[in-house]
């Protein structure tokens, strides 16, 4: 059996608005049992059904009957039928719905807390970063040499006449380093009975080829036969400072690599 309460009270199934206040807070109750409808009045000013007044009594009614509450407010059948056709709430279903809502709320809270924890952990997570750093390193000055040798210019051995006999030693040097340097050629030319030492210095810029050459007057030397020679090149400074890329690793926060 379905129960429909009617009145001014907000808890009533059908809530009535009556400025005249002739309708009671709990004015009447309608009971539906299958196809039967029983209207019970329990008000102060009564209820009229098709002109017949009910005072704290009940009567069976039918669709379309005229019902006046407190003799002022006409009860709408559209409201009654709406309440009749409204599905009854299943308590078990309501409990299930409440349970689902609680589960969803708990799940949302867990996700929010998990997200906060993840952000805190991720914000402090460290990753390895590879980077290039340039360092100054010391490397030797390098060069190439070509055409080392000597030659003699024969002349009149009498000092008062020219040209004088001469001995020349020469060597081409290419500076292959990144810095300029002073190159010194030291050489010895030896015959069976004489020896002459040569030494000449010259600044050579990076990537430049230059001639190191020294000529000596040999009028007082014989240098007849079995002439041999050797030489060496010295450089100052011996090393140069260059900037060299060095690959290194360091630990940084992963968020800084994104």
């Amino acid at each position: 059996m379905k129960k429909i309460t009617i009145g001014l009270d907000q808890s009533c199934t059908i809530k009535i608005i009556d400025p005249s206040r002739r309708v009671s807070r709990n004015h009447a109750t309608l009971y539906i049992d299958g196809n039967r409808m029983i209207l019970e009045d329990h008000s102060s000013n009564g209820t009229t059904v098709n002109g017949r007044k009910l005072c704290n009594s009940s009567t069976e009614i039918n669709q379309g009957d005229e019902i006046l509450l407190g003799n002022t407010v006409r009860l709408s059948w559209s409201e009654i039928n709406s309440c009749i056709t409204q599905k009854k709430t299943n308590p078990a279903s309501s409990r299930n719905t409440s349970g689902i809502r609680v589960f969803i709320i708990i799940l949302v809270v867990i996700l929010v807390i998990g997200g906060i924890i993840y952000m805190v952990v991720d914000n402090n997570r460290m990753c390895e970063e590879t980077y290039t750093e340039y360092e100054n390193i010391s490397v030797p000055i390098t060069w190439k040499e070509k055409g080392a040798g000597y030659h003699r210019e024969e002349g009149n051995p009498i000092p008062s006449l020219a040209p004088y006999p001469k001995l020349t030693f020469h060597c081409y040097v290419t500076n292959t380093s990144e810095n300029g340097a002073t190159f010194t050629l030291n050489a010895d030319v030896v015959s069976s009975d004489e020896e002459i030492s040569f030494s000449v210095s010259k600044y050579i810029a990076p990537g430049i080829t230059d001639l190191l050459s020294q000529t000596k007057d040999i009028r007082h030397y014989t240098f007849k036969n079995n002439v041999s020679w050797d030489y060496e090149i010295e450089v100052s400074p011996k090393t140069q400072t260059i900037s060299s890329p060095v690959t290194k690793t360091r630990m940084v926060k992963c968020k800084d690599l994104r």
Side-chain angles (χ1 to χ4, degrees), residues 208-227:
I208 299 299
T209 300
D210 210 339
L211 174 65
L212 299 181
S213 178
Q214 180 71 32
T215 299
K216 284 203 175 187
D217 183 352
I218 59 171
R219 71 180 112 176
H220 301 301
Y221 300 86
T222 55
F223 283 97
K224 292 179 180 179
N225 299 305
N226 302 319
V227 179

Side-chain angles (χ1 to χ4, degrees), residues 37 52 80 91 141 143 147 161 169 195 199 202 250:
M37 294 183 287
R52 186 167 63 87
I80 295 173
I141 296 287
W143 70 90
L161 298 176
F169 196 94
E195 177 180 345
S199 181
K202 183 179 286 188
R250 61 188 172 193

Side-chain angles (χ1 to χ4, degrees), residues 148 151 198 206:
H151 67 270
F198 291 80

